[in-house]
Amino acid sequence: MDSDEHKRVLDPERDTAALKALTHPLRIQLLGLLRQDGPATASELAARTGESSASTSYHLRVLAKYAFIAEAEHRDGRERRWRALHTLTSWSNESMEATDAGRAFVGLARRRQIEHLERSLARYEADLAAGRLGQEWVEPSGITDLMPRLTAASLTELFDTVAGKLEELTERDADDPRAEHVVFVAAGLPLAAPEHAAPEHADREPEDHEPEGHEVEDRHPADPDPADPAPANREAAGRDAEDRAVAAHDAEDLNP
């Protein structure tokens, strides 16, 4: 296991037991909640997840056993509080792909990140509607779905560039009272070209519709849609060339 104060790096050869421990949906969610919202007790996490206190307490002890979390300062002596030891979990995709346990973990972690995005979208909409977020967040918030043609080297460069910029902006805004936690989920998934079969009816007139794989954004900046309450920003992805963050909830934050 290689790690620092910011990042827990998993190796599928050395961290087999830790990987197996983390390949559990509730544990990934608990770790993500601790990373996102700070220290909490088993009872507090049970209320947030809809699980029993006994269940969350057990899974928190497993996370602690493999050094994902540790005891935090207690408010009182009645119940143990837990804190995350790192802000993200990362790994080498190539190394993970080489083992069954690694592939299982990465597949689960990615799907938990998608679920985390869905929960974050619902929370963002509720916070905006309730006035917990100011109107200055409306314009930059959103989701962008693009399909550029890139080489593997270019995709790596894209992630590296965004990771560097994200680190720079995070440092700059660290002490700014206007800053909020921002859920930033990124994906770069190459798709192989489909095998083109001969059409059943070659003489049929083409239908007038958007081709599959067209680019979709919340809205174009020059063509606002008044029905869209959350215009899109330019989503990008931040990760190290050899690792991916879990957020958690994933998080994971897993930012797993």
Side-chain angles (χ1 to χ4, degrees):
M1 175 190 73
D2 297 320
S3 61
D4 55 35
E5 292 181 359
H6 173 61
K7 177 169 58 179
R8 170 74 182 271
V9 181
L10 294 177
D11 181 284
E13 297 294 336
R14 297 195 301 266
D15 300 318
T16 305
L19 272 177
K20 185 176 181 182
L22 203 55
T23 308
H24 189 288
L26 181 57
R27 289 175 200 157
I28 292 179
Q29 186 178 6
L30 293 173
L31 179 58
L33 287 170
L34 291 175
R35 288 174 173 175
Q36 177 176 282
D37 300 326
T41 66
S43 297
E44 290 167 343
L45 292 168
R48 295 181 209 172
T49 59
E51 300 286 336
S52 69
S53 296
S55 177
T56 55
S57 180
Y58 167 75
H59 289 297
L60 286 166
R61 291 196 301 273
V62 174
L63 289 172
K65 178 180 179 180
Y66 293 103
F68 290 103
I69 66 174
E71 284 192 52
E73 183 179 349
H74 294 191
R75 291 178 180 169
D76 53 48
R78 288 180 299 175
E79 189 171 4
R80 182 181 302 177
R81 296 181 66 77
W82 299 96
R83 63 182 177 87
L85 288 174
H86 310 92
T87 57
L88 61 87
T89 304
S90 63
W91 58 84
S92 161
N93 276 344
E94 189 173 3
S95 297
M96 288 293 192
E97 184 64 23
T99 69
D100 291 340
R103 286 193 298 273
F105 169 75
V106 171
L108 174 64
R110 287 172 174 171
R111 282 159 180 78
R112 294 299 291 178
Q113 286 174 311
I114 293 171
E115 292 171 10
H116 172 47
L117 176 60
E118 292 177 342
R119 290 194 299 269
S120 298
L121 175 59
R123 178 171 167 178
Y124 161 77
E125 291 171 338
D127 286 346
L128 197 64
R132 291 186 291 268
L133 288 174
Q135 289 299 302
E136 71 274 12
W137 289 102
V138 172
E139 183 63 30
S141 305
I143 300 171
T144 298
D145 177 12
L146 303 173
M147 291 195 68
R149 284 182 57 83
L150 299 173
T151 64
S154 293
L155 182 56
T156 298
E157 181 181 345
L158 174 61
F159 276 122
D160 288 346
T161 301
V162 174
K165 191 64 177 179
L166 183 60
E167 184 175 357
E168 174 193 330
L169 295 176
T170 301
E171 256 183 50
R172 187 186 73 183
D173 294 349
D175 298 320
D176 193 324
R178 299 170 300 174
E180 301 280 3
H181 278 108
V182 174
V183 174
F184 190 84
V185 179
L189 305 173
L191 304 177
E195 296 181 4
H196 295 289
E200 282 186 39
H201 304 287
D203 57 345
R204 177 180 294 175
E205 288 293 325
E207 296 179 5
D208 184 17
H209 61 76
E210 290 285 342
E212 182 179 353
H214 66 285
E215 295 187 349
V216 180
E217 296 189 8
D218 286 356
R219 67 172 180 85
H220 192 281
D223 185 20
D225 179 358
D228 182 0
N233 64 332
R234 276 84 39 210
E235 175 190 298
R239 60 159 186 171
D240 192 274
E242 292 189 348
D243 49 47
R244 314 291 183 269
V246 174
H249 306 273
D250 47 25
E252 206 168 62
D253 163 177
L254 172 266
N255 169 300

